Amino acid sequence: MADHALIGDVTYRIGRALDDQRLSEVPGLTSELAAIFVRHSRWEEAGLFAQLWQRGEAVEEIVRLEDEHRRLRRSLAAEGLANDVERLRQLLAELAHHAQVEDNDLFPFAMQQLPDACWTELATASVA
Ligand SMILES: [Fe+2]
């Protein structure tokens, strides 16, 4: 969830840069967001999602969220995204919605389902 706060912060900064017509800042921030999202989504998939999957929990939701991860990673890496303001704003909204679903639905569910040992393992895990 800390990563979601970071993603939310960069998303907000992109929105402000667009609102304030500071367009020269948008490509760098968009690249930053794409890199954070790649790292974060792969961490979720290899960690939290894998833990739930192994226990047969929330399997359909995980398949759906992983599809969304792939689509968001592809869209964030698309050439010219930073210059397509309408598409970028739409993508930022999709990203915010995705994080909201995980924060409000999946993570609370996982907190109930996974034993403490899993959370310790997840907290120290990193993705190569
Ligand atoms: Fe996610």
Side-chain angles (χ1 to χ4, degrees), residues 105-126:
D105 296 336
L106 188 72
F107 293 169
F109 176 78
M111 292 289 284
Q112 290 181 337
Q113 298 299 320
L114 297 178
D116 289 347
C118 280
W119 293 103
T120 305
E121 190 181 321
L122 289 171
T124 55
S126 63

Side-chain angles (χ1 to χ4, degrees), residues 4-122:
H4 284 185
L6 180 60
I7 288 169
D9 176 61
V10 179
T11 297
Y12 173 78
R13 286 161 54 206
I14 294 171
R16 288 300 309 264
L18 291 172
D19 290 344
D20 298 344
Q21 296 295 308
R22 288 180 281 110
L23 300 182
S24 65
E25 297 177 21
V26 174
L29 288 168
T30 302
S31 294
E32 186 182 342
L33 179 61
I36 294 167
F37 188 75
V38 165
R39 178 183 55 77
H40 167 69
S41 60
R42 293 201 189 285
W43 180 87
E44 275 184 341
E45 290 167 11
L48 182 62
F49 291 5
Q51 293 282 353
L52 288 167
W53 183 276
Q54 284 165 17
R55 289 168 170 76
E57 301 287 353
V59 169
E60 286 179 22
E61 182 68 352
I62 288 169
V63 168
R64 194 188 67 72
L65 289 168
E66 286 188 348
D67 279 348
E68 220 165 83
H69 281 177
R70 279 189 287 278
R71 188 177 53 75
L72 289 166
R73 282 194 296 259
R74 237 187 349 262
S75 298
L76 283 165
E79 199 170 323
L81 173 65
N83 299 317
D84 185 344
V85 174
E86 193 175 323
R87 176 73 193 115
L88 181 55
R89 282 196 194 274
Q90 184 186 338
L91 191 54
L92 297 180
E94 291 171 16
L95 199 54
H97 178 72
H98 173 85
Q100 203 171 34
V101 167
E102 289 181 346
D103 286 346
N104 296 338
D105 296 336
L106 188 72
F107 293 169
F109 176 78
M111 292 289 284
Q112 290 181 337
Q113 298 299 320
L114 297 178
D116 289 347
C118 280
W119 293 103
T120 305
E121 190 181 321
L122 289 171

